[in-house]
Amino acid sequence: EALALGTDYTATGTFADANAGTGKSVSIAVTLKDSAKANNYNLTNGSVNATGTIAKASQTAPSITGLPTGTITYGDTFTLHTESGVSWSASGAATVDSSGKVTVTGVGKAAITATKPGSGNYEAAESRLVFEVRPADLTRAVVKVSGSYAYTGQPQTPADNQVTVTLDGTTISSDQYTISTSNNVNAGNAAIVKVTANSNGNYTGTAEGTFSISKASAPTITWPVANGLTYGQKLSESTLSGGSTEYGSFAWAKPDTVPTAGTSGYSVTFTPSDSTVQNYEPITTTTQDVDVTVAQATPTVTVAVKMSGSANSRVADLIITVAGAQNGAAPAGSITLTSDGLSETLTLQNGKA
């Protein structure tokens, strides 16, 4: 028959030492109790030698302090604190060094673990902090553009490697944003380059910078041609056509001048457009003579008779007028009258004789 531990007998073990381990020597003392079954036996040897296991004890996990309050963003650094002798490890969107300094290297979840090492009699213990990392805001970033840009009439767009974006002194990789430009055709200092954070990256928002577009060299001006006039017309009646009108306009310097018959040059003034002034170096030659061919005018001769005297002694005065062009000088010279073999030459004065 079998005796029951606790009912019929007791057994008490004593290890050779108290340290954790396996295969540990243990002495077991057995004592019969006063029971119906036990009273049927006489124990001749109440001590038994055996082996057993002493498990390691658990220890208190280390506490961690120093986690920032509020939002943690990409690029942040901070230092965590715990008791001495603890080691650090990280996973996810952060790294940690042996001093507990945390560097945020991405966005999303990050975990920092502090591990207290085990010993002969104690198991290792650890504490774990988990936090969420948000993208950093580009609003405060500094955007700079390298290279030189000159007016061509077309948009000036910097290459990706000519745009540098820094935030708190750290250069941001170009794969974190896209570049756009505006106001980037005309010369000046107001051309805008804008960077926009890519979705699912380490940043959010936008930042802007400016760059300069220099003026182009002064263009070569082609001068217009003038249509012909008839003597008596003003220069203003001669149309200027052709020439470099894409850069400005042409006009007679003295439009009220009445040019003489023949072909002669008269001064034309070039006035650059606002766009030309803004986008080109100054044009040095802005006046030049343009030839105008002026045909001779055909004068009009009229004869008027003015009667005077009494009925028995009438006198007829002939008034001869030679009219020139509208704006021209009165014709000068002389006029000869002939009648029935008689002739007389008269001198014109202010176009009359």
Side-chain angles (χ1 to χ4, degrees), residues 14-330:
T14 302
F15 282 93
D17 61 69
N19 294 322
T22 59
K24 304 281 293 185
S25 295
V26 58
S27 176
I28 301 174
V30 178
T31 303
L32 293 176
K33 297 185 73 172
D34 184 11
S35 68
K37 288 184 179 181
N39 290 334
N40 295 321
Y41 295 92
N42 181 31
L43 183 63
T44 59
N45 183 8
S47 177
V48 178
N49 292 323
T51 59
T53 298
I54 299 177
K56 290 184 177 182
S58 60
Q59 59 179 330
T60 303
S63 62
I64 303 174
T65 60
L67 184 69
T69 58
T71 302
I72 298 174
T73 60
Y74 172 77
D76 284 352
T77 60
F78 53 89
T79 300
L80 298 175
H81 306 281
T82 189
E83 59 193 82
S84 62
V86 171
S87 62
W88 295 101
S89 61
S91 63
T95 61
V96 64
D97 66 13
S98 59
S99 70
K101 181 180 179 180
V102 177
T103 301
V104 177
T105 58
V107 296
K109 289 189 180 300
I112 306 296
T113 301
T115 302
K116 181 188 293 186
S119 63
N121 294 316
Y122 292 93
E123 297 285 358
E126 67 179 28
S127 294
R128 192 166 184 255
L129 284 180
V130 179
F131 54 91
E132 188 77 18
V133 179
R134 302 296 183 188
D137 189 357
L138 281 182
T139 303
R140 297 181 296 103
V142 177
V143 181
K144 293 185 177 181
V145 178
S146 62
S148 58
Y149 307 89
Y151 175 79
T152 63
Q154 299 299 317
Q156 299 296 304
T157 303
D160 288 356
N161 61 3
Q162 292 175 309
V163 178
T164 302
V165 183
T166 56
L167 180 62
D168 297 330
T170 299
T171 300
I172 299 174
S173 174
S174 61
D175 62 3
Q176 292 291 317
Y177 55 80
T178 55
I179 299 172
S180 59
T181 50
S182 60
N183 198 34
N184 57 327
V185 175
N186 293 323
N189 300 319
I192 296 173
V193 59
K194 179 179 181 180
V195 295
T196 302
N198 293 332
S199 59
N200 301 320
N202 294 326
Y203 297 89
T204 186
T206 62
E208 290 185 357
T210 60
F211 63 99
S212 298
I213 300 174
S214 62
K215 293 184 177 184
S217 299
T220 299
I221 298 301
T222 300
W223 291 84
V225 296
N227 69 329
L229 298 174
T230 298
Y231 177 71
Q233 292 180 296
K234 297 178 180 180
L235 283 176
S236 59
E237 298 178 74
S238 174
T239 301
L240 295 169
S241 59
S244 302
T245 54
E246 67 271 28
Y247 299 118
S249 58
F250 298 93
W252 295 107
K254 296 180 179 180
D256 290 334
T257 298
V258 178
T260 58
T263 299
S264 299
Y266 294 88
S267 181
V268 170
T269 299
F270 171 74
T271 301
S273 65
D274 291 344
S275 175
T276 298
V277 172
Q278 178 180 1
N279 295 311
Y280 292 91
E281 295 294 342
I283 298 170
T284 55
T285 302
T286 56
T287 59
Q288 182 168 304
D289 285 352
V290 172
D291 285 345
V292 181
T293 298
V294 181
Q296 291 180 328
T298 300
T300 301
V301 179
T302 58
V303 179
V305 179
K306 182 178 180 181
M307 303 298 296
S308 61
S310 63
N312 296 323
S313 179
R314 304 286 284 175
V315 176
D317 292 323
L318 298 179
I319 300 173
I320 302 168
T321 302
V322 182
Q326 178 180 358
N327 298 303

